[in-house]
């Protein structure tokens, strides 16, 4: 009987949740997609083919049991659907909103490959968990047994929070050291509200706090407390700092006023959304209102800056990227959203120099795609004579992020790093070169996806429990 509810993709077309009108949504920072109604969520879930080899499952970094909770949603068994979703994903309502499903689960859906249009997995995942919060199905963390051991987690982003959740459920005492005034890391200050409203993140932080996780905020390790002090205080340590060092422009004039880093721009906007006092926003330094904005880069951070600038009231917003649309690293869904909201994309173009201080214009070099590089992507090459001037009052650098030099910042030479500056951590266990010290997320992988950080955090939490179990046995002997 259950199977008859599925396999509806032949007769039922793919539908996304309704998108708010671009002219309306571009005036605020609320999420752009409306919620599925119960009937629509069940209808769309019923399109799943329940295939024998579910590529959506295997292409999800968390290996979520997607066909199972789609079937339960189609049958109206939402609480069970949530429980199965939560079993493999610490933050399903966050992944449902910000994962690039078009590159992961949905992009590898069997019915998508056969031309019927993918199951809208992300929207259904969001719907299930939002319903769970509304209905009170999201329960507080209550360990069966409390343990005496404690773990210090450096960084309150998705990797650190996922590990904190796993460790508290095992009864371990957890303290999170966070450099900002709120936990959440990138989820709180890096991603705009129109993709992820902040009450969604704060609800999970509150759940962790009520479950016994201690947060030490406004804490810069290496300044406010030493790394050695954290190691001395705890039985194990997890490094989950992320990567926040911006790849800066090196072209002539790139140090002019009006040329800002993406992370500073987005953090200021998100702080303003919380109602904080943000002097650099109020004085116009990190505010796009009334300005001709040029965003340089082609990833999701660049898309966030483009769409934030529109909402702040920029007179024009252009995104300059050195490759073409097909070769950009950011989500095509995000590009489409940005275009609907009034952004212009300048493909095959790169900055060559900046004029004025404050900046007034950018010299742009037209590019073409040449031979493939080491990654297999075609390398951009300058077109001879293809130079022109682009006026700009605010230039936002969104060229990606690199790791900070943690061994130097923290005075820990024995913490081994790779040639890219990321921390060396063992595959699977996430153990570093220091006994009892683990590392997860972007500080190990380089700039990556939130869903990978969540997976790392969950895995590391389980491995740290094994390590503590082993240490306890040795102590007992």
């Amino acid at each position: 009987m259950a199977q008859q509810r599925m396999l509806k993709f032949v007769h039922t077309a793919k539908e996304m949740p309704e998108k708010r009108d671009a002219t309306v949504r571009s005036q605020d920072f609320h999420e752009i997609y409306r919620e599925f109604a119960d009937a629509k969520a069940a209808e769309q879930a019923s399109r799943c083919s329940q295939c024998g080899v579910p590529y959506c499952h295997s292409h999800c970094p968390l290996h979520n049991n997607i066909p199972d909770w789609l079937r339960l949603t189609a049958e109206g068994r939402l609480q069970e659907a949530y429980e199965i979703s939560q079993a493999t994903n610490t933050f399903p309502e966050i992944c449902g909103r910000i994962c690039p499903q078009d590159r992961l689960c949905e992009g590898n859906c069997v019915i998508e490959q056969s031309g019927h249009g993918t199951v809208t997995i992300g929207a259904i995942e969001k719907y299930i968990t939002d319903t769970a919060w509304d209905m009170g199905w999201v329960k507080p963390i209550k360990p069966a047994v409390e343990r005496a051991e404690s773990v210090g987690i450096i960084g309150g982003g998705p990797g650190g929070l996922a590990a904190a959740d796993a460790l508290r459920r095992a009864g371990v005492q957890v303290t999170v050291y966070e450099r900002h005034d709120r936990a959440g890391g990138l989820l709180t200050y890096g991603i705009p509200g129109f993709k992820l409203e902040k009450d969604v993140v704060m609800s999970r932080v509150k759940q962790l706090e009520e479950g016994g996780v201690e947060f030490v905020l406004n804490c810069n390790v290496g300044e406010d407390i030493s790394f050695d002090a954290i190691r001395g205080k705890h039985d194990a340590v997890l490094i989950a700092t992320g990567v926040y060092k911006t790849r800066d422009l090196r072209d002539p004039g790139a140090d002019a006023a009006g040329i800002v880093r993406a992370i500073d721009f987005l953090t200021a906007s998100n702080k303003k959304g919380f109602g904080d006092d943000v002097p650099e926003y109020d004085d116009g330094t990190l505010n796009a209102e009334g300005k001709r904005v040029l965003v340089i880069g082609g990833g999701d951070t660049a898309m966030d800056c483009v769409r934030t600038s529109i909402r702040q009231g920029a007179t024009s917003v252009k995104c300059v990227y050195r490759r073409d649309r097909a070769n950009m690293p950011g989500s095509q869904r995000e590009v489409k959203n940005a275009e609907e909201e009034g952004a212009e994309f300048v493909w095959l173009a790169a900055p060559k120099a900046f004029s004025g201080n404050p900046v007034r214009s950018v010299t742009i070099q037209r590019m073409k795609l040449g031979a493939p590089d080491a990654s297999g992507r075609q390398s951009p090459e300058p077109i001879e004579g293809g130079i022109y001037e682009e006026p700009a009052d605010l230039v936002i650098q969104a060229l990606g992020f690199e790791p900070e030099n943690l061994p130097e910042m923290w005075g820990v030479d024995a913490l081994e790093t790779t040639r890219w500056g990321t921390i060396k951590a063992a595959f699977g266990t996430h153990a570093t070169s220091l006994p009892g010290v683990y590392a997860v997320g972007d500080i190990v992988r380089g700039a990556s996806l939130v869903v990978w950080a969540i997976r790392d955090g969950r895995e590391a939490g389980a491995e740290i429990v094994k390590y503590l179990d082993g240490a306890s046995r040795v102590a007992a002997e």
Side-chain angles (χ1 to χ4, degrees):
M1 180 67 180
Q3 189 68 11
Q4 294 175 4
R5 294 180 182 269
M6 310 306 291
L7 299 161
K8 301 290 183 66
F9 63 89
V10 176
H11 308 292
T12 303
K14 169 191 171 182
E15 281 188 48
M16 287 288 290
E18 181 188 355
K19 241 191 304 194
R20 297 165 60 216
D21 182 76
T23 58
V24 174
R25 70 180 194 243
S26 62
Q27 304 299 311
D28 61 50
F29 282 86
H30 298 306
E31 290 178 9
I32 73 169
Y33 290 101
R34 301 189 190 280
E35 291 282 0
F36 268 141
D38 288 356
K40 186 59 69 174
E43 175 196 84
Q44 288 299 301
S46 74
R47 298 181 66 250
C48 175
S49 66
Q50 297 286 288
C51 50
V53 181
Y55 292 118
C56 59
H57 166 83
S58 58
H59 283 82
C60 170
L62 288 162
H63 298 311
N64 289 328
N65 298 313
I66 296 168
D68 292 346
W69 49 255
L70 286 174
R71 177 174 59 81
L72 290 166
T73 302
E75 294 172 4
R77 297 159 64 186
L78 283 183
Q79 186 169 0
E80 293 169 82
Y82 165 71
E83 288 167 356
I84 288 179
S85 174
Q86 181 76 31
T88 55
N89 188 352
T90 315
F91 311 123
E93 72 277 25
I94 292 173
C95 289
R97 285 167 163 86
I98 65 173
C99 262
Q101 289 96 4
D102 52 343
R103 284 187 274 155
L104 298 173
C105 54
E106 293 180 13
N108 292 279
C109 174
V110 168
I111 65 171
E112 166 78 1
Q113 304 303 320
S114 63
H116 288 281
T118 183
V119 177
T120 50
I121 296 167
I124 296 170
E125 181 178 39
K126 171 181 177 291
Y127 166 77
I128 291 170
T129 321
D130 285 355
T131 302
W133 278 103
D134 291 342
M135 298 297 292
W137 300 336
V138 183
K139 300 299 183 184
I141 298 170
K142 291 184 178 178
V145 178
E146 290 287 354
R147 301 178 58 138
E149 303 98 330
S150 71
V151 174
I153 298 176
I154 304 173
L161 295 182
D165 180 273
L167 288 164
R168 274 305 296 143
R169 291 180 190 280
V172 177
Q173 310 309 309
V174 177
T175 301
V176 176
Y177 300 88
E178 167 59 42
R179 72 176 79 184
H180 289 109
D181 57 348
R182 294 179 179 87
L186 179 77
L187 303 175
T188 299
Y189 286 133
I191 297 173
F194 51 78
K195 286 170 64 175
L196 177 62
E197 290 185 358
K198 300 311 161 188
D199 59 344
V200 175
V201 182
M202 293 300 108
S203 293
R204 283 296 182 184
V205 173
K206 183 179 179 183
Q207 181 198 31
L208 290 168
E209 285 180 320
E210 292 177 345
V213 175
E214 179 187 0
F215 287 90
V216 181
L217 304 175
N218 295 307
C219 180
N220 278 296
V221 177
E223 295 178 13
D224 302 310
I225 187 172
S226 71
F227 179 73
D228 286 342
I230 292 175
R231 285 192 78 190
K233 186 177 179 181
H234 300 284
D235 298 287
V237 174
L238 177 69
I239 302 170
T241 57
V243 291
Y244 285 94
K245 182 181 175 184
T246 298
R247 291 181 187 140
D248 290 323
L249 295 160
R250 292 184 171 84
D251 305 297
D255 57 350
I259 301 176
V260 304
R261 302 189 309 165
I263 191 65
D264 296 335
F265 178 73
L266 293 172
T267 299
S269 179
N270 280 312
K271 279 181 172 289
K272 201 67 181 175
F274 277 110
D276 295 351
D277 182 25
V278 188
E280 288 186 304
Y281 181 95
D282 295 335
D283 68 17
T285 303
L286 297 174
N287 185 346
E289 184 178 3
K291 296 177 181 176
R292 297 166 296 180
V293 176
L294 212 63
V295 177
I296 299 172
D300 288 332
T301 299
M303 300 305 103
D304 293 344
C305 292
V306 164
R307 299 180 64 202
T308 295
S309 298
I310 290 168
R311 285 161 174 76
Q312 289 181 355
T315 56
S316 67
V317 180
K318 294 184 179 181
C319 183
V320 174
Y321 182 56
R322 60 182 182 159
R323 289 186 170 91
D324 61 6
R325 186 180 193 129
N327 284 282
M328 70 172 298
S331 164
Q332 293 293 334
R333 191 179 294 173
E334 283 297 291
V335 175
K336 183 178 180 182
N337 287 334
E339 287 178 328
E340 289 173 356
E341 292 164 6
E344 180 183 341
F345 287 82
V346 185
W347 308 111
L348 292 166
K352 189 176 177 65
F354 302 87
S355 301
N357 190 6
V359 67
R360 283 291 170 262
S361 70
V362 182
T363 303
I364 300 294
Q365 170 71 64
R366 290 287 187 188
M367 311 294 282
K368 63 180 180 180
L369 294 180
D373 60 16
S375 69
R377 298 168 74 202
Q378 288 179 279
S379 298
E381 300 174 351
I383 296 173
E384 188 175 351
I387 293 176
Y388 73 99
E389 292 294 317
E390 187 75 68
D393 307 306
L394 178 65
V395 176
I396 303 174
Q397 306 174 74
L399 302 172
F401 301 97
E402 296 174 344
E404 297 160 300
N405 188 338
L406 296 187
E408 182 180 289
M409 289 171 58
W410 295 350
V412 190
D413 294 337
L415 182 62
E416 292 184 11
T417 58
T418 68
R419 62 191 176 95
W420 298 282
T422 53
I423 293 176
K424 278 188 179 179
F427 179 78
T429 69
H430 305 279
T432 71
S433 57
L434 298 174
V437 177
Y438 297 75
V440 297
D442 289 2
I443 195 59
V444 176
R445 296 178 175 273
S448 187
L449 301 174
V450 166
V451 66
W452 279 111
I454 295 172
R455 171 176 167 165
D456 289 353
R458 290 171 64 91
E459 285 183 347
E463 291 297 325
I464 291 171
V465 170
K466 291 180 187 176
Y467 168 79
L468 296 175
D469 287 343
S472 297
R473 283 195 297 272
V474 171
E477 294 169 0

